[in-house]
Amino acid sequence: MVEEMQNDLPKRMFIEYHQAYMHIQKKWLGLSTIVMAILLLLWLVVFFRTFNLIANGFNEGRFFLIMMPVMFAAGGVLLAYFFVANWLNKTDIFVSNDLMEIKIGPVPWRGNMKLETAHIKQIFIQKQVAGHEKKRKITYAVLFNHQNGKVVKLIGGLESQDQALFIEQRIEDYLGMSQ
């Protein structure tokens, strides 16, 4: 097993070369996790401060007073799930000469896949812009062209172009796709 020097890697990324495969790992924990934690705390404070709406709603039989806190609680559960996923999850990319596998966990998340490397025509980076003029969030994704013409996302939500280039270049080098 050969490990690249950690100071040469983008933040929260790790790479190992084994005899039969390469392993790239990206931890999700970052600034967005801290922002989510603050948002979740604020959400919980507001929820518990307005908890008496539930009791009043049940006593008075008002549908709105019952449904509003229930929907608010459901939003809090969803936010908590995203927070825990961002805090604990990591994306593992395993590449061998025959197979590429993406595993996301330990909190269940979509994006897990296995595919034969022979079906990959090209790997490339895409800049993704969200938001509006004043508040733009720019992330990067590593995608590939499948042999059947379909474009498939390998990994998204990368905070910097360096992270995306790192993944793209290492996989291309390993598979001998470099130009």
Side-chain angles (χ1 to χ4, degrees):
M1 174 180 72
V2 178
E3 210 174 290
E4 280 193 36
M5 298 297 290
Q6 189 61 35
N7 55 0
D8 294 338
L9 303 179
K11 287 192 290 185
R12 296 184 303 283
M13 297 205 60
F14 175 79
I15 188 167
E16 296 177 319
Y17 294 92
H18 298 268
Q19 189 172 359
Y21 66 94
M22 171 182 68
H23 174 212
I24 300 173
Q25 183 180 80
K26 181 199 178 288
K27 294 181 181 179
W28 291 17
L29 182 67
L31 182 61
S32 63
T33 311
I34 295 166
V35 170
M36 258 190 255
I38 293 167
L39 202 74
L40 182 60
L41 286 173
L42 288 171
W43 193 280
L44 289 172
V45 166
V46 170
F47 177 72
F48 287 119
R49 300 276 261 141
T50 59
F51 193 75
N52 63 354
L53 282 176
I54 294 173
N56 290 341
F58 281 122
N59 291 338
E60 297 173 14
R62 292 188 184 165
F63 182 73
F64 177 74
L65 290 177
I66 295 169
M67 288 311 297
M68 189 177 78
V70 169
M71 290 173 53
F72 198 81
V77 168
L78 193 61
L79 185 61
Y81 186 84
F82 288 148
F83 167 71
V84 171
N86 265 278
W87 183 34
L88 298 176
N89 275 5
K90 53 191 174 227
T91 301
D92 291 296
I93 303 170
F94 299 95
V95 181
S96 71
N97 288 327
D98 303 324
L99 191 69
M100 183 183 309
E101 183 175 9
I102 293 113
K103 290 183 178 181
I104 300 171
V107 177
W109 203 267
R110 67 184 188 124
N112 294 327
M113 72 171 83
K114 277 186 186 179
L115 68 125
E116 294 179 25
T117 55
H119 296 297
I120 300 172
K121 285 176 56 179
Q122 176 191 19
I123 300 173
F124 61 97
I125 296 170
Q126 184 178 62
K127 183 178 182 179
Q128 300 173 325
V129 181
H132 53 78
E133 200 174 294
K134 293 179 183 178
K135 290 190 177 184
R136 288 183 192 240
K137 179 171 170 90
I138 297 173
T139 58
Y140 297 86
V142 179
L143 303 108
F144 65 88
N145 286 325
H146 195 274
Q147 192 174 35
N148 64 10
K150 192 174 170 185
V151 174
V152 180
K153 185 188 297 186
L154 182 63
I155 184 171
L158 299 168
E159 297 166 354
S160 71
Q161 190 172 11
D162 287 345
Q163 288 180 334
L165 279 170
F166 173 81
I167 292 171
E168 176 197 26
Q169 290 171 350
R170 294 311 186 281
I171 293 172
E172 285 180 343
D173 288 348
Y174 188 84
L175 294 175
M177 297 172 74
S178 298
Q179 297 165 340

